[in-house]
Amino acid sequence: MADSGLRVSKTNTAEPHPSGPVQHGAMGQAERAFSAASTFLSGVLAISATQFLGAPLKLVDPKSYDGYMAWTKESFAVLVTTMTQWWAPTVVRVSGDDSMRGQLYQMEDGSLKCNFPHRLVMMANHQLYTDWLYLWWIAYTNKMHGRIYIILKESLKKIPIFGWGAQFYNFIFLARKWEQDRPRFRRHLAHLNNPQDPMWLLIFPEGTNLSATTREKSRQWAEKNGINDMVHQLLPRSTGLQFCLQELQKNTNWLYDCTIAYEGVPPGQFGQDIFTLRSSFFEGRPPKSVNMYWRRYRISEIPIENDKAFAMWLKNRWTEKDYLLENFSRHGCWPADGPIKAVQRDYKDGDKTQYKAKFIETEVRAGGFEEFMSIFAPITAAATALQSGSIAPENLDIDKLLGMVAQQQQKNLLESGAAPNAPPSQDAMRRILMAATEAGGAPVKKPALQKYTSSQKALQDALLNATGSPNSLPTKPAKTSTLPRPPKSQDEIRQVLGKATAPSGRRASVQAKLNSLQGSTPAETLITRPLSSALTKGAAASLTSVGPKAAQLKSAAAKEAKASAGKPNSLQGKAAAAHKAVLANASANGVTPKAMPNGVRRPSVQSAGSNPSKLPTRPSQGRQMSTTSLPASSKAAPKANAAQGVAAKNALAAASKSNAANAVRK
């Protein structure tokens, strides 16, 4: 941490500090250290808690999750900008070449307003640990401080609280091992590929900030490769930047280049050893001024497809930046006519003003105290809701929430095209099952598959017969399919399956069939494949066992129907006898039964030999069957008559049960 300039101990420099003497004594420094640390920790903890509160949104709606995390990222930018304004106020001077016309403005109140596009890649030299802070402030002036993504060293990921928050912000951490970093890099950049989403991607091609240690490593690498080393910078690495531009070139147009310099760094020394954390925030000696020189390039005009050409292009840009820094080190300003002429020119007395580039002078400034307090609004609202009892376990329907999450996840998969498509027909399903069996899945027996297909065909024929014509069936619009023509007969099916299961080229043919049927297998299929295989195996076994049983039941029903043909129905006889007994009993007691209403037929018991092909029709909806009741005088009948009535009811109940059993048997 000390090597990066985050030192809190006193600096041992013999020369005077560029920002002057210490502004605060020991007690003042302790007070400033306590207030700055407590403000930073409270703000970071509030932001981290806000991030954890919104983390479940990633399961429900990833788009809302990204917007929520962008809002917390804005809160962090407000926090560091406010702290810089309160404890380390710094003058910022911004300039640029002709490519930056119309990009930089100064408002009436003296603040800076940038007019950069909503999507760009930004590269910069790395002088101090605070470089990213001032560049993030540039995004703040462009209202893009919630959509900036920074490429950082892998070691920063392990810093407590800060590392956690950076991961929520989708910052990209690199281990400087390209084989390990490449897939991670590609995954993060794919997340930033939507041209409608605002995105600033910040990368430091040098990989780390300038120091005595890194200066020596850069010199050794230059000697090893036979190239000239830089004077005020480290040699850049082209691989990461080139990969970013290649991945984002279709939806991002500009590469912005910032050359950053700090006023007052003596020659031969390094800014991180002078402007430490202690000197800037505790002693009151921040950098006298932070100076930025901006240029921009169209990505389409950069040779990003050729490795050697791009490496040479990037080295030339870094050489120009070194010339700019040399001019700033000598004269304390940026040149007006470019880096090449500036390094060749020998200034004379009185010539500085003529060749001095124009600039905007402002200071790091946030939106005010209300904007700072908005950092704590989400966690305060959550604490209030918990205290009032609005958020409690008994008030939450966990099952409903999980159902919403599962539904939204399925919707996201369907919208992104990652969900597997259903087979377009039964024939396609049959071929998929057989191909999966050949590829090593659960076995599907051919007889069971044939019976399954024939039963589906029989069901379709029954529906056609019942409705009268195929036109009455509900149909779906025809879809153009790229699947091969389905076989027309069982023999052709056996031939196709026999060729697919041949020993020669078995794996290749199976894989080709799978590719032609479904294309590339999505990641979700790899998760659900074991469950699908188990269900397929169970379905095949069920079909195999149900087939013989259905045949036996059908044969037994046919024999019984043949045996009962032409014989009087004993059930109808029992029902008729019971009905006559009821009528005789009613006549003996002087009761006249009422006639059945017009248009309503008496219920009949269907015999076992009736035609099974005719489906029963629904009763008329206009009139319902009425139940006749005996008059009150029948209550005085003898007990023997009541016994006869009970016997008649039992006979009718037995007839109904026997009829239901026959229907089930059929």
Side-chain angles (χ1 to χ4, degrees):
M1 300 289 285
D3 292 339
S4 300
L6 303 178
R7 186 185 297 111
V8 295
S9 60
K10 292 184 178 181
T11 56
N12 297 322
T13 55
E15 298 184 8
H17 196 278
S19 298
V22 177
Q23 301 296 317
H24 304 280
M27 291 300 296
Q29 293 182 33
E31 181 183 358
R32 289 171 63 86
F34 176 78
S35 59
S38 60
T39 302
F40 180 76
L41 288 177
S42 60
V44 168
L45 290 175
I47 294 172
S48 297
T50 305
Q51 290 175 329
F52 280 104
L53 286 176
L57 279 175
K58 192 170 186 178
L59 300 175
V60 179
D61 189 359
K63 200 73 175 177
S64 299
Y65 169 82
D66 291 340
Y68 183 88
M69 290 303 163
W71 178 59
T72 62
K73 194 185 298 186
E74 291 179 356
S75 299
F76 187 81
V78 170
L79 174 64
V80 295
T81 302
T82 303
M83 291 191 61
T84 303
Q85 179 183 356
W86 289 353
W87 281 277
T90 307
V91 174
V92 180
R93 299 188 181 99
V94 182
S95 183
D97 64 359
D98 292 338
S99 66
M100 296 298 296
R101 290 184 181 274
Q103 299 286 302
L104 302 169
Y105 298 93
Q106 189 168 20
M107 309 304 290
E108 294 181 356
D109 59 354
S111 61
L112 176 67
K113 174 65 176 179
C114 295
N115 192 28
F116 295 179
H118 76 290
R119 291 185 62 85
L120 59 87
V121 178
M122 184 188 302
M123 66 178 183
N125 59 313
H126 209 349
Q127 296 284 300
L128 287 183
Y129 64 96
T130 53
D131 291 339
W132 61 270
L133 188 151
Y134 296 111
L135 293 173
W136 204 336
W137 171 76
I138 290 291
Y140 176 83
T141 64
N142 209 119
K143 304 299 181 183
M144 287 292 295
H145 50 302
R147 296 291 183 173
I148 188 170
Y149 301 88
I150 307 177
I151 301 175
L152 303 172
K153 295 185 296 184
E154 182 75 16
S155 58
L156 298 177
K157 187 177 181 180
K158 302 177 182 179
I159 299 178
I161 302 178
F162 176 81
W164 305 336
Q167 293 178 61
F168 275 118
Y169 292 156
N170 286 329
F171 285 176
I172 304 174
F173 296 92
L174 300 182
R176 299 182 182 178
K177 298 178 181 178
W178 186 238
E179 295 301 325
Q180 178 181 348
D181 292 336
R182 184 185 181 93
R184 185 189 312 172
F185 218 165
R186 187 184 299 275
R187 183 175 67 254
H188 279 279
L189 294 179
H191 182 73
L192 305 176
N193 252 334
N194 189 348
Q196 303 300 324
D197 294 339
M199 179 274 302
W200 281 20
L201 180 63
L202 173 59
I203 183 172
F204 296 99
E206 295 169 79
T208 185
N209 61 293
L210 184 64
S211 65
T213 304
T214 57
R215 169 80 279 160
E216 180 62 22
K217 290 181 179 179
S218 180
R219 186 190 62 79
Q220 294 176 0
W221 192 86
E223 290 181 357
K224 180 180 178 180
N225 292 272
I227 59 177
N228 295 326
D229 192 16
M230 301 293 168
V231 178
H232 304 279
Q233 306 170 102
L234 304 177
L235 286 171
R237 305 183 182 189
S238 62
T239 305
L241 178 61
Q242 182 183 5
F243 188 78
C244 289
L245 298 179
Q246 289 175 345
E247 293 293 317
L248 300 175
Q249 61 177 328
K250 294 182 179 179
N251 47 69
T252 308
N253 296 326
W254 293 98
L255 170 65
Y256 276 66
D257 171 38
C258 178
T259 303
I260 188 168
Y262 295 86
E263 182 181 356
V265 179
Q269 297 189 27
F270 305 98
Q272 72 152 22
D273 299 328
I274 299 174
F275 303 112
T276 62
L277 184 65
R278 180 189 182 95
S279 66
S280 297
F281 285 86
F282 305 158
E283 296 178 349
R285 297 189 293 179
K288 294 181 63 176
S289 67
V290 179
N291 299 265
M292 300 180 182
Y293 188 85
W294 290 90
R295 300 181 292 177
R296 65 173 182 166
Y297 308 92
R298 286 191 177 274
I299 297 179
S300 58
E301 300 175 357
I302 303 174
I304 59 177
E305 302 300 335
N306 188 305
D307 296 347
K308 293 184 178 179
F310 180 79
M312 182 60 66
W313 180 90
L314 182 61
K315 185 178 181 300
N316 291 338
R317 303 291 80 75
W318 238 249
T319 301
E320 293 171 358
K321 292 163 75 71
D322 216 40
Y323 293 163
L324 291 172
L325 291 171
E326 177 67 21
N327 187 90
F328 185 86
S329 177
R330 290 181 181 180
H331 311 291
C333 62
W334 302 115
D337 51 358
I340 304 300
K341 293 182 179 180
V343 77
Q344 295 175 348
R345 183 185 306 109
D346 184 13
Y347 283 102
K348 298 180 180 179
D349 294 338
D351 290 342
K352 281 187 179 182
T353 305
Q354 181 180 357
Y355 300 105
K356 186 177 181 180
K358 297 180 180 180
F359 60 87
I360 296 175
E361 183 172 324
T362 183
E363 60 183 8
V364 177
R365 185 190 307 172
F369 188 74
E370 292 183 359
E371 185 181 46
F372 173 75
M373 292 304 298
S374 67
I375 297 173
F376 305 92
I379 192 65
T380 304
T384 304
L386 286 173
Q387 186 176 4
S388 62
S390 301
I391 302 178
E394 57 271 14
N395 297 335
L396 298 177
D397 190 347
I398 303 300
D399 294 335
K400 184 177 180 180
L401 291 176
L402 293 178
M404 293 174 60
V405 170
Q407 184 178 5
Q408 185 62 39
Q409 287 286 73
Q410 183 65 21
K411 180 181 177 182
N412 295 337
L413 291 176
L414 292 174
E415 291 178 351
S416 62
N421 297 324
S425 64
Q426 293 291 338
D427 186 71
M429 173 62 80
R430 180 173 62 253
R431 295 200 307 274
I432 291 172
L433 291 176
M434 295 305 300
T437 301
E438 299 299 334
V444 179
K445 297 182 180 180
K446 295 180 182 179
L449 192 59
Q450 293 170 1
K451 292 178 181 179
Y452 172 73
T453 306
S454 63
S455 63
Q456 292 292 325
K457 178 64 175 174
L459 179 60
Q460 185 177 5
D461 293 340
L463 291 174
L464 289 174
N465 294 333
T467 54
S469 65
N471 296 331
S472 60
L473 291 175
T475 59
K476 294 182 178 180
K479 295 182 179 181
T480 305
S481 176
T482 59
L483 293 172
R485 179 185 62 81
K488 296 182 178 180
S489 63
Q490 297 291 340
D491 294 336
E492 190 173 353
I493 292 175
R494 294 191 186 94
Q495 293 177 4
V496 173
L497 296 178
K499 292 180 181 180
T501 56
S504 59
R506 178 177 179 181
R507 289 289 176 184
S509 63
V510 169
Q511 188 63 36
K513 289 179 180 296
L514 288 174
N515 292 338
S516 65
L517 291 174
Q518 287 187 321
S520 59
T521 303
E524 291 76 12
T525 305
L526 301 178
I527 301 174
T528 59
R529 182 169 291 164
L531 180 60
S532 301
S533 300
L535 293 176
T536 304
K537 184 176 180 180
S542 300
L543 291 174
T544 306
S545 61
V546 168
K549 292 182 180 180
Q552 292 176 4
L553 291 175
K554 185 176 181 181
S555 177
K559 290 180 180 180
E560 184 177 354
K562 185 177 181 181
S564 61
K567 294 182 180 181
N569 193 337
S570 58
L571 295 176
Q572 289 182 349
K574 292 179 182 180
H579 184 63
K580 288 180 180 181
V582 173
L583 293 177
N585 185 24
S587 300
N589 291 280
V591 178
T592 303
K594 294 181 180 181
M596 299 299 292
N598 294 332
V600 179
R601 299 176 59 186
R602 294 183 182 275
S604 61
V605 180
Q606 186 178 359
S607 64
S610 59
N611 187 5
S613 63
K614 294 183 179 180
L615 299 178
T617 59
R618 299 180 62 184
S620 173
Q621 299 294 329
R623 303 177 65 183
Q624 296 183 355
M625 187 178 296
S626 62
T627 305
T628 59
S629 59
L630 294 176
S633 61
S634 65
K635 297 180 181 179
K639 294 184 178 180
N641 293 338
Q644 292 178 1
V646 172
K649 291 181 179 180
N650 292 337
L652 287 173
S656 299
K657 291 182 179 179
S658 179
N659 183 38
N662 289 336
V664 172
R665 187 179 298 110
K666 288 175 58 180

